[in-house]
Amino acid sequence: MTDAIINEITIIPVTAVYPHELGRNSRNMEIGRSVLEWVIKADTSSGTTGLTIAQQFMSPRNGGSASELASLLRDTLLGQKVNDLLVLDEDMAVGPGKKYKTVFRKHGWLSILAYDLVARELGISAVTLLGGFIRRSVPAYDTTLYFDDLRVPEKGIKQVVEEAVGGVNSGWGELKIKVGRGGHWMVPEAGQVRDAEIVNSIREAVGPDIKLMVDANFGYEKRLDLLEKFIAETRDADIFWLEEMVLPDIDSYRAIRGMVEKAKTDSLLVCGEVDREPISKIYLDLAAEGLMDAYQPDIVSIGFSSWKEIEDSLQKYQVRTQPHCFFNGVFGTRASIVYGAASETFMSVEDERCRPHIFKPDEFSFVNGKYSVPDVPGLGLEIDPDIYRQKYACNAVSVKL
């Protein structure tokens, strides 16, 4: 690898558009039609370019500004050598470079940039840098099925069913359905009934071969009685996993495991989306008790380096890898695909189904519910210079040597 240095970093806000308007979940108001991707492009003295997004830094929860983001990038990466970013064992990264351990743990999205840059400098795929190809295609699920029965009340349940059928007709073989309406937007009993009706209606509409998952965003918290009814009433819908039905708690999850066994389903228990500094003790406890089947901190916020550490620490508990990937747009989907291709325990990409925007068409393709993963340098994403100049350059901010 050359002694290339990072000589320019550009911040590019890009609007990513969903396939349809997204309504509420159990905790939040309507999401709408789009998400803003804060694309970061790092150019080097050797002519290579690496990419990431700064969603975590710029999220309302963290309150970052464009000027603060520019300062962070200037202070941590500008003028730095690419070959200092990661520690390598031949063509595999074994951890962050010495001075980046703290930075990559706090800003995991920067580690994805490091993997992209280093892999491109070496002329190899980021999958290879992550340990090599475990699979050459990665399944994905449609994650756009929100409370659109409430957003479009004149159609009600039919609205969500139509969106589900639309996802299947567009090629997705896995669907995740938001539930937990009784947690905030409806009275609990009526919310549980509506949840079950929607899941069962979708199953009837899409047939038996489509994988269905549900996510309550803790909408059944303190109502395990209603959760048990939901599980019983959707038994024939064959739900693949139950995600964050209640807050993480040993007794609650043990009770849910009992409900699943009583209903004679094989639904997995999935959680950890809200674990901002993984792995928190409660999730380790759930894993040790056999009550967490898959763990799901965000792929972009946590980043590649920390996710590798997470997998290693959970291996003895046989916990599967299921990273959260919402509000990450087109880039987030690609990052999840690449990580999934190198992970033995990865299940499925959370896919927002955002329309293409600033990136060039490439060799990654989506067929029969899976993304093919070609052996191309880095993440395989490149910014289209014409689209950048025509649409996005006017709002971009650059820092350079």
Side-chain angles (χ1 to χ4, degrees):
M1 188 162 57
T2 68
D3 288 330
I5 63 170
I6 299 171
N7 56 17
E8 183 173 3
I9 305 173
T10 307
I11 303 166
I12 313 167
V14 178
T15 299
V17 179
Y18 299 125
H20 56 83
E21 191 169 349
L22 305 189
R24 288 165 262 179
N25 64 16
S26 71
R27 295 185 297 166
N28 299 317
M29 290 294 293
E30 279 81 4
I31 291 170
R33 209 46 217 275
S34 64
V35 61
L36 191 62
E37 283 186 64
W38 290 89
V39 176
I40 307 298
K41 179 173 74 80
D43 297 307
T44 73
S45 57
S46 67
T48 57
T49 295
L51 298 167
T52 190
I53 54 173
Q55 307 303 88
Q56 176 200 27
F57 188 90
M58 296 298 293
S59 73
R61 183 180 66 251
N62 293 321
S65 68
S67 61
E68 291 170 330
L69 177 58
S71 295
L72 171 68
L73 296 169
R74 182 186 297 109
D75 294 344
T76 58
L77 292 177
L78 196 63
Q80 301 302 309
K81 293 181 179 179
V82 174
N83 59 16
D84 287 341
L85 296 174
L86 299 172
V87 177
L88 304 182
D89 181 1
E90 296 185 348
D91 284 345
M92 184 175 74
V94 294
K98 184 176 180 180
K99 62 181 178 180
Y100 294 102
K101 290 182 179 180
T102 300
V103 173
F104 288 175
R105 181 162 293 280
K106 183 176 181 180
H107 305 289
W109 48 280
L110 286 177
S111 76
I112 302 177
L113 175 63
Y115 273 80
D116 196 23
L117 277 174
V118 171
R120 288 178 186 274
E121 284 288 328
L122 293 171
I124 62 175
S125 170
V127 179
T128 302
L129 205 58
L130 282 162
F133 283 87
I134 299 297
R135 56 184 67 85
R136 296 304 292 264
S137 64
V138 182
Y141 68 86
D142 179 345
T143 190
T144 66
L145 302 178
Y146 278 67
F147 293 180
D148 287 347
D149 53 309
L150 305 182
R151 182 178 63 82
V152 189
E154 64 272 22
K155 294 180 71 174
I157 292 172
K158 290 182 180 179
Q159 177 68 27
V160 188
V161 173
E162 287 177 6
E163 292 170 2
V165 171
V168 173
N169 290 341
S170 297
W172 274 263
E174 304 178 10
L175 309 173
K176 189 171 80 173
I177 307 161
K178 290 293 188 180
V179 296
R181 287 164 177 79
H184 187 76
W185 304 110
M186 299 177 70
V187 295
E189 292 78 10
Q192 180 271 310
V193 170
R194 179 72 60 83
D195 287 346
E197 287 177 339
I198 285 177
V199 171
N200 289 331
S201 296
I202 289 174
R203 171 56 76 201
E204 182 178 358
V206 302
D209 298 329
I210 301 300
K211 189 176 288 185
L212 299 184
M213 297 82 83
V214 299
D215 177 6
N217 297 105
F218 311 129
Y220 281 90
E221 177 64 14
K222 297 182 180 179
R223 291 311 304 261
L224 290 175
D225 58 326
L226 294 179
L227 178 54
E228 185 166 20
K229 288 187 66 178
F230 171 80
I231 291 171
E233 291 173 8
T234 58
R235 177 178 54 218
D236 294 338
D238 190 23
I239 295 173
F240 181 58
W241 80 54
L242 302 166
E243 179 178 331
E244 297 199 325
M245 308 306 283
V246 298
L247 291 168
D249 173 79
I250 295 293
D251 291 339
S252 295
Y253 269 65
R254 186 171 286 120
I256 299 171
R257 183 74 84 194
M259 296 171 195
V260 169
E261 293 172 354
K262 181 180 178 180
K264 295 182 170 58
T265 73
D266 296 320
S267 301
L268 304 178
L269 305 188
V270 179
C271 58
E273 169 188 332
V274 298
D275 199 5
R276 309 299 182 197
E277 297 182 6
I279 304 173
S280 299
K281 183 178 183 300
I282 182 56
Y283 294 103
L284 281 174
D285 291 344
L286 287 170
E289 293 290 330
L291 298 172
M292 181 175 74
D293 299 308
Y295 184 55
Q296 54 172 179
D298 189 81
I299 186 66
V300 174
S301 297
I302 303 305
F304 286 174
S305 294
S306 291
W307 249 113
K308 292 291 288 183
E309 294 176 9
I310 288 169
E311 282 195 338
D312 290 344
S313 65
L314 291 177
Q315 186 175 14
K316 62 184 176 181
Y317 301 121
Q318 298 182 318
V319 172
R320 304 185 206 189
T321 298
Q322 184 49 62
H324 173 266
C325 192
F326 200 82
F327 290 132
N328 290 329
V330 175
F331 180 89
T333 297
R334 176 60 59 87
S336 195
I337 293 166
V338 167
Y339 190 86
S343 167
E344 292 184 0
T345 57
F346 190 92
M347 290 201 294
S348 189
V349 173
E350 181 173 21
D351 197 342
E352 297 172 80
R353 298 178 53 198
C354 291
R355 296 174 182 173
H357 45 56
I358 197 172
F359 303 117
K360 293 180 180 179
D362 56 36
E363 298 178 47
F364 286 69
S365 61
F366 182 70
V367 179
N368 295 327
K370 295 182 178 182
Y371 285 96
S372 65
V373 189
D375 190 358
V376 294
L379 298 172
L381 277 176
E382 293 186 22
I383 289 176
D384 186 309
D386 293 331
I387 294 176
Y388 170 70
R389 283 192 295 269
Q390 293 165 10
K391 295 185 66 175
Y392 302 110
C394 60
N395 294 321
V397 176
S398 292
V399 293
K400 58 182 72 176
L401 290 177

